[in-house]
Amino acid sequence: MEFKIRPGAPEDVAAVERVRVTTWRAAYRGLMPDDHLDALGVDPDRVARMERGLANALAEGRTPLVVAETEGGITGFVNFGHCRDEEIGGGEVFSLYVLPEAQSAGIGRALLADAVTRLRAAGHEEIGLWVATGNGQARRFYERFGFVPSGRTGTHPLPEPYPPIEDTHYRLAPAAPGDAPLLP
């Protein structure tokens, strides 16, 4: 499958949200309640807020969203930035999703490599991310890339009446001098 990795633009946000919803429904089936997953949809208000936020970030010179594009449109994305938890610090990959039918084609690895490269270029030596503890496929993916569990755990809240989902924190150690650059 041929794909192109590029910075995301505000006009990509609706497609990015469709990727997120579709991927959540597949990746979290069995980890989250089915009725919660089945009720997910692309919320126009959320899309509008995200479009404004992305436009502001781009105007400030930040690139917090990178997308994968194929002939069929946006098939994956990664968003990232400064870690939201000051106790941890460094950079953080906030989310990485690839449509189920486009997985195992190198898109996820290319997106993650791009995000890590951009985070390191922005001065973040260490990079972290959170993943649902029960999501073995995602955990194996990040571990193959070089992320290791940091020992931190947390919870991902879901709307009432659903219980929260346990998350595991992963970290990618700083690059050593002479390390080869990340390639997709």
Side-chain angles (χ1 to χ4, degrees):
M1 171 180 292
E2 289 189 34
F3 59 90
K4 174 182 163 184
I5 302 296
R6 64 171 175 78
E11 57 269 17
D12 297 323
V13 171
V16 162
E17 269 297 279
R18 282 191 294 280
V19 168
R20 183 188 68 82
V21 167
T22 302
T23 306
W24 267 55
R25 286 181 178 156
Y28 298 121
R29 191 74 58 188
L31 297 176
M32 294 181 182
D34 286 350
D35 55 341
H36 171 66
L37 293 171
D38 294 340
L40 291 176
V42 175
D43 177 4
D45 292 334
R46 178 181 164 100
V47 168
R49 283 191 310 275
M50 290 172 60
E51 287 171 341
R52 286 190 302 274
L54 180 56
N56 291 337
L58 293 171
E60 293 169 359
R62 293 181 293 120
T63 304
L65 176 71
V66 173
V67 299
E69 191 171 36
T70 65
E71 263 186 38
I74 305 282
T75 55
F77 73 93
V78 61
N79 73 309
F80 49 90
H82 183 75
C83 183
R84 296 171 285 193
D85 184 338
E86 291 302 321
E87 254 183 61
I88 299 173
E92 182 176 352
V93 175
F94 304 130
S95 59
L96 169 63
Y97 294 107
V98 176
L99 289 173
E101 63 270 19
Q103 291 177 6
S104 299
I107 293 171
R109 180 165 178 75
L111 286 166
L112 187 56
D114 191 277
V116 167
T117 298
R118 288 174 188 273
L119 285 166
R120 288 212 168 123
H124 298 292
E125 297 268 334
E126 203 162 306
I127 299 163
L129 56 84
W130 290 90
V131 62
T133 301
N135 189 341
Q137 180 180 357
R139 292 180 71 173
R140 286 186 298 277
F141 169 78
Y142 292 124
E143 289 167 3
R144 282 192 306 271
F145 194 91
F147 282 84
V148 295
S150 70
R152 297 174 76 97
T153 58
T155 56
H156 181 94
L158 294 178
E160 289 291 331
Y162 308 113
I165 302 298
E166 181 181 276
D167 289 334
T168 299
H169 184 260
Y170 277 76
R171 64 180 283 277
L172 184 65
D179 276 0
L182 298 170
L183 299 174

